[in-house]
Amino acid sequence: MSRTTSTSKAATLAQLQAVIDGLQTQLPNAQFTLGNTTFTTATLVQALQGLVAAIKAANAAQASAEVAVNAMHDAAAKVGPVFLATKRTLVTMYGNATDKLALFGLKPQKAPAPLTADQLAARKAKANATREARGTTSAKQKKSIKGNVTGVTLTPVTAPSDPAPTAQPAPTAATASPSGPAAKQ
């Protein structure tokens, strides 16, 4: 099994440049047979520099494409809502006049297909199941639910005879029982 590793373009460029520099300094007049082709150092360096130029051109093209794509996204964010509003307005203005809408490259809105009896029954059954699962009730049923509080003693508050107020103990949780539907469980 062969194992491949990927290297970045920057690493490839650095490696190519090192090979070019090494060939020019160490083997300036050498001749190489690679595959079935014979290369001199000058022709080999020229071929390698062509690859370096192609990688640099691809990097520049990718950078300019990224700038162009970002500019497109910015323009779409600014003008997109205006375009959609224009389409909605034209469809509203011309309604079902397909010949007029075709001049703008638009089609009239399709009316929703009517639901069959089975689809309506399934929709109602699902709504009821969801309502039961969530425990939601109608307004009349909510009005009939009242909380009961037992064991609470009310003490009337009278004005103290001395000007310094005294702290009253707060009722404890043990004196009040929970109320509502959860207390009946």
Side-chain angles (χ1 to χ4, degrees), residues 7-16 55-56 58-59 62:
T7 57
S8 68
K9 287 185 271 186
T12 302
L13 281 173
Q15 192 174 26
L16 283 169
I55 292 173
K56 288 181 178 179
N59 284 344
Q62 285 175 338

Side-chain angles (χ1 to χ4, degrees), residues 138-166:
S138 68
K140 285 184 179 180
Q141 288 173 331
K142 287 179 184 177
K143 284 182 182 179
S144 68
I145 298 173
K146 303 288 183 203
N148 293 327
V149 179
T150 58
V152 176
T153 323
L154 297 176
T155 309
V157 177
T158 58
S161 59
D162 61 314
T166 58

Side-chain angles (χ1 to χ4, degrees), residues 26-177:
Q26 300 297 316
L27 304 167
N29 298 320
Q31 199 171 22
F32 304 93
T33 302
L34 306 171
N36 293 331
T37 308
T38 303
F39 293 95
T40 63
T41 299
T43 57
L44 188 57
V45 165
Q46 185 179 9
L48 294 175
Q49 285 175 336
L51 178 57
V52 168
I55 292 173
K56 288 181 178 179
N59 284 344
Q62 285 175 338
S64 65
E66 186 175 334
V67 168
V69 167
N70 287 338
M72 177 192 67
H73 287 300
D74 291 343
K78 291 177 185 173
V79 181
V82 173
F83 174 64
L84 291 176
T86 303
K87 284 174 45 176
R88 280 192 301 265
T89 301
L90 290 171
V91 169
T92 302
M93 284 173 55
Y94 294 111
N96 290 330
T98 55
D99 54 339
K100 293 283 187 180
L101 289 174
L103 295 173
F104 299 101
L106 300 172
K107 296 179 182 176
Q109 291 181 338
K110 292 182 179 179
L115 297 177
T116 65
D118 290 339
Q119 290 170 328
L120 288 171
R123 182 169 69 179
K124 181 159 179 70
K126 185 174 181 180
N128 287 340
T130 301
R131 187 173 186 153
E132 184 178 329
R134 291 181 180 164
T136 55
T137 58
S138 68
K140 285 184 179 180
Q141 288 173 331
K142 287 179 184 177
K143 284 182 182 179
S144 68
I145 298 173
K146 303 288 183 203
N148 293 327
V149 179
T150 58
V152 176
T153 323
L154 297 176
T155 309
V157 177
T158 58
S161 59
D162 61 314
T166 58
Q168 296 281 333
T172 61
T175 59
S177 66

